[in-house]
Amino acid sequence: MTESSGVAQPLQFAYWVPNVSGGLVVSKIEQRTDWSYEYNKVLAQLAERNGFDYALTQVRYMASYGAAYQHESTSFSLALLLATERLKVISAVHPGLWQPGVLAKFIATADQISGGRAAINVVSGWFKDEFTQLGEPWLEHGERYRRAEEFISYIREIWTSEDAEFNGDFYRLHNFDLKPKPLSSPSRPHPEIFQGGNSTDARAMAGRVSDWYFANGNTPEGIEEQVKDVSAQAAVAGRTIRFGVNGFMIARDTEAEARETLREIIANADREAVEGFGSAVKQAGQATGDRTGMWQDSEFADLVQYNDGFRTGLIGTPEQVARRALEYKRRGADLLLLGFLHFQEEVQYFGEKVLPIIRELEAAEAEKAA
């Protein structure tokens, strides 16, 4: 278990920003969720009032697998930062589609404007067409992660050094002084850097350079294995790292109602889109040297939620969901990244019904441990 996931540290929460049409499930079920800025502005303010610490703005550059329309992540994140007071907003970004110095400058400005609430999630990329149709080269899996690691190292250097220098195979930086830099404090020397992935390459990279490791949805045992592995990789590099877990939350007044909602989502799945998505991501994962990429053991029902969120099992009554969430904390999770079917209503339900139980359970555990 990571130091930050001890009993004394409250579990934190993030939500997926639905800035992409189609919601967070590849299903034709009704979703009272909208990808517009006006909807998302209200959602961000609701989330801030209902216990969320972070929002993750996803990125798609072209129509794919049920997501016909997309707002760009960094500009959308800045708009959400300006609409809120405390919420930290994470922009998903792709090395290969961003020059890292330009991104570093953008995020530094957003961080200054927002009072230190900007962050990035570095996505190595699984969707080949987004690169090739934009005229950019598509690298094999290991090379994408090598590039992403350089990308992070470069950005950290330019954010923290007055005479920044970096010489890599993909990126170079010579005697550069970024001004203004992002805000800095002892607890947060630069905007937080998140990273996902499941492969051996992804885990090793996270241990060496990332602040946070995002895991796809998994069982508590599966998450614990990843926490131990990545923490060991970080220890070798003389670092510590924190962990987020993706989950799709269906909290309802009764367990039967929650289970029926899950059944309806899967029963109404857009089969063509799910199968297309599954084919693309499994092909990407099988390109790893040891075939340990994300989604390798995902079944059809798992893929109806893009990042295996159903597998985390945050489904049931508020108390059942709260106890399940605390199980992930015990296994080393510091943060749960949540998706919902009807975002505004369910974010408020979480804050009113689920979060108070989580905090009560945490307090009881802390008292027992004292």
Side-chain angles (χ1 to χ4, degrees):
M1 180 177 291
T2 61
E3 181 180 348
S4 62
S5 62
V7 171
Q9 296 293 326
L11 185 62
Q12 293 185 288
F13 296 93
Y15 73 92
W16 284 95
V17 175
N19 58 304
V20 170
S21 66
L24 265 288
V25 292
V26 191
S27 176
K28 297 176 182 178
I29 191 173
E30 178 199 8
Q31 297 185 66
R32 294 188 297 276
T33 292
D34 191 82
W35 63 290
S36 70
Y37 173 65
E38 287 305 318
Y39 179 94
N40 275 281
K41 178 181 177 180
V42 172
L43 174 60
Q45 294 166 346
L46 271 172
E48 187 171 61
R49 295 195 300 269
N50 283 277
F52 283 85
D53 307 281
Y54 296 88
L56 172 57
T57 306
Q58 58 190 307
V59 62
R60 292 281 186 94
Y61 290 97
M62 58 185 290
S64 58
Y65 313 119
Y69 299 96
Q70 323 84 32
H71 286 301
E72 191 275 328
S73 59
T74 59
S75 52
F76 209 80
S77 292
L78 178 56
L80 296 181
L81 286 167
L82 294 174
T84 53
E85 297 178 357
R86 298 179 307 280
L87 191 70
K88 289 167 274 193
V89 185
I90 313 161
S91 303
V93 296
H94 281 93
L97 300 180
W98 272 101
Q99 198 284 335
V102 174
L103 175 69
K105 184 72 171 175
F106 184 102
I107 298 298
T109 297
D111 201 56
Q112 287 276 341
I113 291 171
S114 66
R117 294 185 288 123
I120 59 171
N121 180 42
V122 177
V123 183
S124 297
W126 57 265
F127 189 16
K128 181 178 180 179
D129 287 353
E130 283 190 326
F131 286 79
T132 59
Q133 292 188 27
L134 283 169
E136 296 298 321
W138 176 248
L139 305 182
E140 60 91 11
H141 182 273
E143 288 296 282
R144 295 200 301 277
Y145 275 93
R146 279 211 314 126
R147 178 175 62 187
E149 183 167 344
E150 284 194 12
F151 189 87
I152 290 173
S153 297
Y154 176 118
I155 287 176
R156 181 176 281 114
E157 170 71 8
I158 202 172
W159 275 344
T160 59
S161 299
E162 293 183 2
D163 301 300
E165 291 281 345
F166 184 82
N167 289 286
D169 293 332
F170 298 93
Y171 304 112
R172 284 152 294 282
L173 182 62
H174 306 299
N175 190 31
F176 195 92
D177 187 7
L178 180 74
K179 290 184 177 178
K181 289 181 170 51
L183 299 183
S184 178
S185 69
S187 62
R188 197 210 74 147
H190 54 73
E192 292 169 289
I193 300 171
F194 293 73
Q195 173 223 320
N198 186 65
S199 66
T200 301
D201 291 329
R203 297 181 186 201
M205 170 185 153
R208 288 190 294 264
V209 298
S210 298
D211 300 319
W212 286 85
Y213 175 85
F214 270 142
N216 262 18
N218 207 329
T219 62
E221 296 77 14
I223 293 302
E224 184 175 29
E225 184 274 327
Q226 291 182 63
V227 167
K228 288 179 177 178
D229 184 17
V230 177
S231 295
Q233 306 258 14
V236 170
R239 307 179 65 250
T240 58
I241 187 167
R242 288 176 286 176
F243 295 88
V245 177
N246 182 67
F248 192 87
M249 183 174 287
I250 306 176
R252 301 291 188 268
D253 291 343
T254 67
E255 181 180 6
E257 185 182 0
R259 295 290 172 190
E260 177 61 16
T261 299
L262 176 62
R263 188 199 67 76
E264 289 180 357
I265 291 171
I266 295 171
N268 287 279
D270 184 335
R271 180 163 290 276
E272 182 179 357
V274 173
E275 290 176 349
F277 172 70
S279 176
V281 296
K282 291 193 175 190
Q283 184 179 41
Q286 288 165 0
T288 63
D290 52 6
R291 299 197 173 192
T292 58
M294 294 195 297
W295 299 287
Q296 285 314 290
D297 58 350
S298 301
E299 298 178 356
F300 178 89
D302 301 322
L303 294 168
V304 175
Q305 205 287 311
Y306 287 116
N307 287 87
D308 285 340
F310 299 151
R311 299 180 71 185
T312 309
L314 297 169
I315 300 161
T317 65
E319 182 167 353
Q320 288 173 319
V321 170
R323 291 188 179 279
R324 182 72 170 180
L326 264 294
E327 180 63 24
Y328 284 95
K329 181 183 177 184
R330 295 186 195 101
R331 304 295 182 125
D334 301 284
L335 177 148
L336 293 182
L337 170 61
L338 303 177
F340 302 92
L341 184 62
H342 309 302
F343 267 79
Q344 290 183 1
E345 299 96 315
E346 295 190 48
V347 159
Q348 186 162 342
Y349 188 91
F350 168 84
E352 293 175 354
K353 302 290 187 179
V354 181
L355 185 60
I357 301 174
I358 290 173
R359 298 303 184 223
E360 287 174 10
L361 292 171
E362 287 179 321
E365 289 195 8
E367 185 176 351
K368 187 185 299 185

